[in-house]
Amino acid sequence: FARVGATDSQAKGVSTFMAEMLDTSAILSTADTDSLIIIDELGRGTSTYDGFGLAWAISNYIIEKVGCLSVFATHFHEMTNLENVHAGVKNHHVTALVQEDSLALLYKVNPGPSDQSFGVHVAKLAEFPESVVERAQEKTKELDKFKFYSEGMFWNLEITLILSGQPHLLTKFSKN
């Protein structure tokens, strides 16, 4: 099963987010222990908190109820805490090389979570107005200071992860 990409059917009243939810519902209701599930960017079509909540709940359902091999790509850095909660979860990330004002996505997968977001870097490469980039950097610094407590762990809220154009975090679910 795969939930990758953005599609909609506006003529039928199905938004991109609703299409994502319908696809995911079908996966959750039909996958079994022999399935392979690949999910990319789940939950980004709604608010940050709703999106993260859905991504966390869906991941836990796959881990606890379905129990199959899964790959979940996300910008919600908080999802890396699944590795601390479930023994079969292993974090991986796609590497990038950052030098001053340049960013090169290396497309190499390494173990562990990513140590940073590249959303503002990508915006700069896309030639956003400098004032937008500067304001994004300011808001990023403000949000990096915000923490919340849940599931027995402190997490940094890194909203800027949603801005990135490339998934940089892979969380792999495997059988225990």
Side-chain angles (χ1 to χ4, degrees):
F1 298 96
R3 170 62 217 147
V4 178
T7 60
D8 62 30
S9 181
Q10 293 299 319
K12 295 180 183 176
V14 178
S15 68
T16 303
F17 181 67
M18 180 57 130
E20 178 181 290
M21 294 294 99
L22 292 169
D23 290 349
T24 304
S25 177
I27 291 169
L28 296 178
S29 65
T30 57
D32 61 25
T33 56
D34 294 325
S35 299
L36 168 63
I37 298 175
I38 300 170
I39 298 179
D40 178 41
E41 294 300 330
L42 189 65
R44 72 176 178 175
T46 187
S47 76
T48 301
Y49 296 133
D50 279 358
F52 169 71
L54 285 164
W56 185 270
I58 290 164
S59 300
N60 275 278
Y61 185 89
I62 292 169
I63 295 164
E64 296 168 0
K65 304 278 189 217
V66 179
C68 68
L69 181 64
S70 302
V71 177
F72 195 108
T74 182
H75 285 96
F76 294 117
H77 188 76
E78 301 82 11
M79 296 293 292
T80 62
N81 284 308
L82 283 169
E83 188 175 67
N84 300 324
V85 177
H86 297 285
V89 175
K90 301 293 177 214
N91 290 313
H92 292 76
H93 67 279
V94 178
T95 59
L97 178 62
V98 179
Q99 292 180 334
E100 293 184 31
D101 290 340
S102 69
L103 171 72
L105 300 172
L106 302 178
Y107 301 101
K108 180 181 177 192
V109 178
N110 285 330
S114 177
D115 62 353
Q116 63 181 310
S117 171
F118 303 108
V120 177
H121 288 90
V122 173
K124 198 168 191 174
L125 290 173
E127 299 181 1
F128 277 32
E130 188 60 33
S131 62
V132 173
V133 172
E134 289 172 4
R135 183 69 175 132
Q137 289 170 330
E138 290 170 14
K139 293 308 282 183
T140 299
K141 288 177 185 173
E142 287 176 27
L143 292 169
D144 279 342
K145 295 175 185 174
F146 180 73
K147 292 186 183 223
F148 65 95
Y149 185 76
S150 179
E151 303 264 347
M153 297 170 283
F154 279 102
W155 295 344
N156 286 324
L157 179 62
E158 298 180 7
I159 306 257
T160 55
L161 295 170
I162 298 166
L163 300 174
S164 177
Q166 290 288 328
H168 74 275
L169 169 72
L170 294 172
T171 300
K172 180 179 176 183
F173 307 122
S174 60
K175 296 180 185 178
N176 292 341

